Amino acid sequence: MPELPEVETTRRGIAPHLEGHRVTRVLLRRPDLRWPIPRAIRTALPGQRIDAVERRAKYLLLHTAAGSALLHLGMSGSLRVLPADTPAGKHDHYDLALDSGRVLRFTDPRRFGCLLWQPAGRLHPLLAGLGPEPLDAAFDGDHLWRLSRGRSAPVKTFLMDQGVVVGVGNIYASEALFAAGIHPKRAAGAVSRARYARLAAAVRRILAHAIARGGTTLRDFLAPDGAPGYFEQELAVYGRAGEPCRVCGTPIRAIALGQRSTFYCPRCQR
DNA sequence: CAGTGACCCTGGGTGC
DNA sequence: TGCACCCAGGGTCACT
């Protein structure tokens, strides 16, 4: 569910409740998430004050003096800040209790999310090798163009590679390629420099706009305050197979690329 | 190294 | 109402 805009929406929702507060207790109900929750979460985190809540790619980092908790929402994860006595549901896997009397609660039916620990001054291996943030200045068309030379994989697969640029997931990859007029199956190495400039601009514009709209709610994404995202109604191609292209009226097509559903307009995208 | 597919897990929707 | 099947926004890993 969560791509960059949804993770950023989550960050903005939880940050005011966390920053400046201490973690008083860690409650693990199901430690077997994507990876086992490391011992340091129980030993090093309690007592620490959260100085800042940062997002890097689709990860959230709760920074403390001892180190940082590294959170990922996976496909179905979400975070809420609740009163400490709120009864937990079946898929509420951990709580970080705060000195404010509230808890940060993680819910994730599929358990593809994770909770890891990054000691102070060290970079967690999962964060090494990540590409630039799409909203940073280091990301532009030339970056995509340079990395793509000689690559035969479909440009959509390339765009979703977190080593190329982070945060672009399955929804926004289809949307950005539509906006740039590029066929998702085209070999990454066969896309021109000029078209990559359009693609990079589309990625930035669409992600920034989706953040402003609170993300995309397809079936279950909710911000920490319970509000849905409002970007869904603006999707041009994702989930619209058979419906007319908003630009030319041609029916939108759905194909599979790398086991992921992909949507495009066969007339607008070449 | 690049590319492809299997796999992790649960729930919701659909069609019989 | 039951059941088999397909699908889902994440990512890693093994293999070619």
Side-chain angles (χ1 to χ4, degrees):
Chain A
M1 40 167 341
E3 299 185 36
L4 187 148
E6 293 74 41
V7 178
E8 178 61 22
T9 297
T10 297
R11 189 195 68 78
R12 293 179 184 188
I14 65 174
H17 300 282
L18 302 188
E19 288 175 350
H21 288 281
R22 281 184 193 280
V23 176
T24 55
R25 208 164 63 91
V26 173
L27 177 56
L28 308 180
R29 299 189 187 82
R30 270 206 79 147
D32 54 332
L33 302 181
R34 175 66 202 267
W35 292 284
I37 295 173
R39 177 181 188 76
I41 290 291
R42 281 179 290 121
T43 57
L45 183 57
Q48 291 294 310
R49 188 187 67 229
I50 297 171
D51 298 319
V53 180
E54 185 199 8
R55 179 189 57 73
R56 171 70 174 117
K58 296 169 194 165
Y59 292 91
L60 290 170
L61 292 113
L62 313 187
H63 293 302
T64 77
S68 307
L70 191 58
L71 287 61
H72 198 291
L73 305 178
M75 290 272 265
S76 56
S78 61
L79 290 163
R80 287 168 301 160
V81 176
L82 301 164
D85 57 0
T86 309
K90 182 178 177 187
H91 303 296
D92 294 340
H93 303 313
Y94 67 77
D95 286 355
L96 303 186
L98 303 163
D99 62 10
S100 60
R102 288 189 262 216
V103 296
L104 177 69
R105 178 164 292 171
F106 178 67
T107 307
D108 184 11
R110 295 176 73 179
R111 304 206 315 278
F112 287 173
C114 65
L115 172 59
L116 300 169
W117 181 253
Q118 173 178 271
R122 293 234 295 272
L123 186 66
H124 195 284
L126 287 172
L127 300 185
L130 288 177
E133 289 286 329
L135 300 178
D136 279 359
F139 173 71
D140 61 13
D142 276 2
H143 170 78
L144 292 176
W145 180 77
R146 278 193 306 272
L147 281 186
S148 64
R149 293 309 87 186
R151 307 264 303 244
S152 63
V155 61
K156 187 210 176 210
T157 307
F158 172 75
L159 188 60
M160 289 177 66
D161 181 342
Q162 302 298 296
V164 171
V165 58
V166 302
V168 183
N170 203 38
I171 297 178
Y172 298 110
S174 280
E175 293 297 309
L177 287 166
F178 172 77
I182 301 170
H183 195 293
K185 244 176 134 172
R186 176 174 289 273
V191 175
S192 72
R193 196 171 191 168
R195 299 182 87 202
Y196 270 124
R198 293 180 60 193
L199 180 59
V203 166
R204 301 176 76 109
R205 185 176 68 248
I206 288 169
L207 291 181
H209 185 58
I211 291 170
R213 306 291 279 143
T216 299
T217 296
L218 283 189
R219 41 177 63 80
D220 54 10
F221 173 76
L222 297 176
D225 63 359
Y230 293 99
F231 193 74
E232 183 191 1
Q233 50 214 42
E234 299 180 39
L235 295 176
V237 290
Y238 188 87
R240 298 191 64 241
E243 295 174 43
C245 169
R246 299 195 202 279
V247 172
C248 74
T250 304
I252 297 301
R253 275 192 204 160
I255 56 172
L257 274 185
Q259 331 295 94
R260 313 292 266 209
S261 58
T262 302
F263 301 87
Y264 69 101
C265 170
R267 180 160 172 198
C268 294
Q269 294 174 256
R270 302 289 172 166

